[in-house]
Structures are given as structure tokens and as C-alpha cells.
Amino acid sequence: MNPDPRRWWALVVLAAAQFMVIMDTSIIAVALPDMQRELGFTPGGLQWVFNAYAVALGGLLLLGGRLSDLWGARRVFAVGWTTLIAGSVVAAVATDAGTEVVGRAVQGVGAALIAPAAMTLLMVLFAGQSNELPKAMAFYGAAAPAGGTAGVFLGGVITEWLSWPWVFIIYIPIGLLTLALTPKLLPAVPGRRGGLDVGGAIAVTGGLALAVYAIVQAPERGWTSTATVAQLGAAAALLIAFVLVQRAVKNPLMPLKVWRTPDLAAANIAMALLGAAWIPMWYFLNLYVQQVLGFDSFASGAALLPMTALMTVLMTTVTGRLIGRFGTKPLIVAGLAVLAAGLGLLAGADPGGSFVADVLPGSLISAIGMALVFIPATMAAIGGVAPEQGGLASGIVNTTYQIGSALGLAAMTALATSQGGDRLGDAVALTDGYSAAFVGAAVVALGAAALAAVTLGGPRKKATGSTEKVAIEI
């Protein structure tokens, strides 16, 4: 089969899509305090600016992959970008907290369609090009940490020199350009016949969203209140219904037999707990820098840049070599322990502290931990699956990370609020609350390290099967 002559230009479009999807999770970080003041978010409700996106993305990734198979990857890619643009418009013009959350959720739906479709298109473009596929995957994979790094800094620049709505407006011209290039550069991949598990998608997304909401509201209503217990019970019922639906339907979103793969369950647990520790660290560190240390938007973005830059460099240049030498399990266990140590340092932050003493050491150590864990955990999750299940396993692990992030942030926000993290203007109370969240995240990371040490199999120096189908999303 002759290679597509447009494949490298098409790869640029696909990598740019990956870059933007991941940047959408980080570009809002520095803008959060401004959004809180102007839109009337409560301290507990502010996390929904992140969680609405993460829950929609994580809950619908498997459905996005299925739609890509049924309707054709290029068509779903274009629909995803159209949806992301629409969500960006809503988020940019929002004048209240509820509208902002809706806009972010719509953005997440768009991203859940873009990511799996982009991966399918990449595999089609480079099918049969065994010498080019690894290079294409490396370029595509590097777009994720690059997007995370750029988002933090760019969000600070935009918020400081323009205003927070521009962190969403920036997606509109980029999205329109991508839509214009899509029919010119990306191949038309035909869909195939098959059923669509709409019931499963509704059940898993509804269950996860309801669980996050119940955890967020629990500190105010009480963990044993009727509303909290009812919502958590309903969430559990929906997730159980999802499992039952997967057993019953002909074309499930997630065939349950995939969980027989060695290390798949253990690696996904590690990924969920990694997200539950890492995202609260990123979220509360930004709030500490702005609301306690008093950094403006530009300085706050610059303050988080060393952490994200170090993580990007390590993930793209060092982690792969370490996997080849030690295997995945030792890196996962060690990385989670290092992350816990970094969070422990951040927990000692002082109300009258400084960037050099209270932010830089802990954030850099945390970044090292993250860089050691993410790719090895992803490879451990998909390394044992059959080639035809590689896309499914990759979708599961990405979903697990996103949902772990959302639930972890909800839990740590509840913990921070209970310790004074909602008392805006009171530096001591805010620091106490944020420190409690860092301690909670450190406990999660340390527990994850211990669990990974017990549940993961022996060292795996080479991922087998479908490793090259990984779509890294941080």
C-alpha cells in the first residue's frame, strides 16, 4: 500500500488537536481566581470549571471511540471540533457560574470525540509504515505534555494582558482553521456496521458525574445526610447498571473480558490514584500562589512553568530509557512515592512564605514523580492486550485517569474546605486548607505506591501487543 503523501502534514493537524485538548485542562489554571470573582463561584464550586470538562471527557471517551468506528474517524473528528468550538463560545460569554460549567462540559464532549478519532486517523495514515509509525507516535505523544506546559504559561499571559474569556476565545480561530484543513489533509475513513451502546454511555457518565457532585456537596450537607447518601447510592446504582449493560448488549462500550488482561486492572487503579493526587496538587498550588502569595496572573503562570517544563523534558527524553532498563513496575512504585514526597513538602507551605522556599522544591519533586509514573502505567495497562484491543485498553486507561482526577479533586476540595480553604482573604486559613489538601493527596499517592507494589506483575521491560497505540493524555 502506497503511503499517503499528505501524512506528515496531517500528523501536524492531529498533533495540534492533541495539543489543544490537553491544553484545555491546564490553560484555565491561572484564570480560576478571576473567574471566581467575576462569575460568583463558591470555593467549592470553582472546581467544576475543571471537573465539568474532565467528567465529560473521561465519561465519553469510550463512546467517542465507538462513534469513530461506526461513523468514520474524519467525520467524528470534525464533529468533535465543532462541539469544542461551541463549548468555547459558551464558556467565553458566560456571565454566571452555571453557564460557565455548561460551556466547559460541552468542551469536554468535543474533546471526547476528537481524541479517539485522531488516534484512529493517525493509525490509518501510517498503516504499513513500520519505520515511520514510531516517529509519528512520538511526535503525537509529545504534543500532550507540550500542551500542558504551554497551557499554564499561556493562561497566565492571556489572563494578565487580556482577560479570562480569552482562554476560551483562543480555541475558536484554531478550531475553524482545523475544520478547514480536515477535508484537505485527513483521510476519509469509512465507518462500519454495528450497534451503539447509548445506554452504557449514559449510565457510566451519569454515575461518575453524580458521584463527583455528591462528594463536592458533602461538606456542606454532611456525609450522612439524606441527600448525600441518596446521590452516592444512585451513582453506585448507575455504575452497576453500566456493568450489567456491558454484559447484555451485543456491542458494548467496554467488553468486560478485556479485564482478564494481566496488569490491566492494577495499572488502571494506579492511574486513577495518580490523577486523584496530581490534579489536586496542580489546582491548589495555583490557588496558593495567587491567593496567599499574591502573585498576579502572569507571575502565577510563570511560577508553575518550571514544574511543567521539567515534567515534559523527563517524559520525552528520560522515562523511555528508564523503562527499557528497569521495566514499568519499579518506575510506577518509585514515581508515586516521589510524588508523595513532593506533596509532603508542599503541605508545609507557610502563609508568609515565598516561591523559592514553599513552591519550587515541592513542585519540582512532584513533577519528577509524575514523569516517572504516567507513561509506565499506561504501558503496563495496554502491554498485555491483544492488538485488536489496544484502542479499547488505551481508552480505558485515559478514562480512568480523567475520572480519578475529577473524584480526587472533589475529595480534596471537600477536605480543604473543612480546614478553612474557603475563607477568601484569610491567608492563614487558606494555607491551612490547601495544606490539608496536599496532605490528603500525598496519602493517596503513597497508598497508590503500596498498592502498585503488591498488585502489579513483575518488571516489564518491553510493552507488547498494542503499545504503539497509546494516546497520552495528561
Side-chain angles (χ1 to χ4, degrees):
M1 186 175 74
N2 293 326
D4 191 322
R6 305 167 299 175
R7 63 193 182 281
W8 293 108
W9 286 110
L11 177 62
V12 172
V13 174
L14 297 176
Q18 173 79 329
F19 181 94
M20 298 300 290
V21 166
I22 302 307
M23 192 173 77
D24 210 3
T25 65
S26 63
I27 196 171
I28 58 138
V30 178
L32 288 173
D34 286 355
M35 296 170 68
Q36 182 177 8
R37 286 191 297 270
E38 294 188 24
L39 300 181
F41 278 102
T42 65
L46 183 62
Q47 64 177 301
W48 280 101
V49 178
F50 173 83
N51 276 350
Y53 182 88
V55 170
L57 172 59
L60 295 174
L61 269 171
L62 295 177
L63 179 61
R66 182 64 178 161
L67 289 174
S68 182
D69 290 339
L70 295 177
W71 295 351
R74 190 173 75 178
R75 179 180 299 173
V76 172
F77 184 80
V79 171
W81 269 107
T82 303
T83 306
L84 183 62
I85 291 170
S88 300
V89 172
V90 173
V93 303
T95 58
D96 60 80
T99 304
E100 184 63 41
V101 170
V102 169
R104 287 290 287 164
V106 174
Q107 283 189 309
V109 173
L113 297 175
I114 292 169
M119 176 54 60
T120 299
L121 288 166
L122 186 151
M123 299 303 294
V124 169
L125 283 164
F126 291 90
Q129 309 301 313
S130 58
N131 60 325
E132 293 181 347
L133 182 59
K135 298 177 184 178
M137 287 298 304
F139 185 77
Y140 182 81
T149 300
V152 172
F153 185 71
L154 187 59
V157 173
I158 291 174
T159 305
E160 179 69 18
W161 298 107
L162 296 171
S163 59
W164 67 262
W166 283 90
V167 302
F168 304 113
I169 293 173
I170 190 176
Y171 285 89
I172 299 173
I174 294 173
L176 293 174
L177 177 61
T178 301
L179 287 174
L181 293 174
T182 293
K184 300 178 183 299
L185 295 178
L186 300 182
V189 181
R192 64 174 188 240
R193 293 183 179 181
L196 183 61
D197 183 13
V198 176
I202 293 173
V204 69
T205 306
L208 293 168
L210 192 56
V212 173
Y213 181 78
I215 294 172
V216 170
Q217 297 297 318
E220 295 182 11
R221 299 185 306 201
W223 288 95
T224 58
S225 68
T226 301
T228 300
V229 173
Q231 288 173 354
L232 289 175
L238 284 169
L239 294 176
I240 292 172
F242 170 70
V243 174
L244 295 177
V245 168
Q246 301 314 286
R247 289 179 177 272
V249 299
K250 184 178 179 180
N251 297 290
L253 283 180
M254 185 181 67
L256 299 181
K257 63 182 180 181
V258 73
W259 291 102
R260 300 171 187 168
T261 304
D263 282 349
L264 180 65
N268 272 276
I269 291 172
M271 285 294 284
L273 295 177
L274 173 65
W278 173 259
I279 292 301
M281 183 279 296
W282 163 85
Y283 178 88
F284 286 106
L285 184 60
N286 176 68
L287 293 181
Y288 170 76
V289 167
Q290 291 198 54
Q291 295 182 345
V292 176
L293 298 187
F295 283 29
D296 60 23
S297 299
F298 179 82
S300 179
L304 300 181
L305 193 56
M307 172 181 70
T308 49
L310 176 62
M311 183 177 66
T312 300
V313 170
L314 292 177
M315 289 181 70
T316 56
T317 63
V318 176
T319 304
R321 298 177 184 177
L322 293 177
I323 293 172
R325 182 171 182 180
F326 299 106
T328 56
K329 178 178 178 178
L331 293 184
I332 294 170
V333 175
L336 287 166
V338 171
L339 175 58
L343 286 162
L345 281 179
L346 292 173
D350 188 88
S354 67
F355 167 74
V356 173
D358 296 84
V359 175
L360 189 59
S363 65
L364 292 180
I365 292 173
S366 297
I368 293 171
M370 177 62 165
L372 289 175
V373 178
F374 191 86
I375 293 177
T378 304
M379 292 178 67
I382 72 168
V385 301
E388 64 272 15
Q389 292 182 318
L392 172 63
S394 179
I396 291 173
V397 75
N398 285 329
T399 299
T400 299
Y401 176 79
Q402 294 292 340
I403 297 306
S405 300
L407 292 174
L409 181 57
M412 296 311 142
T413 298
L415 180 60
T417 300
S418 70
Q419 299 299 313
D422 57 345
R423 300 177 191 172
L424 297 178
D426 186 339
V428 174
L430 289 174
T431 303
D432 288 344
Y434 301 159
S435 295
F438 292 138
V439 170
V443 171
V444 170
L446 199 59
L451 197 59
V454 173
T455 59
L456 283 171
R460 181 177 298 168
K461 293 188 177 182
K462 291 184 180 180
T464 59
S466 56
T467 300
E468 60 188 12
K469 292 187 179 181
V470 178
I472 301 174
E473 298 192 19
I474 303 175

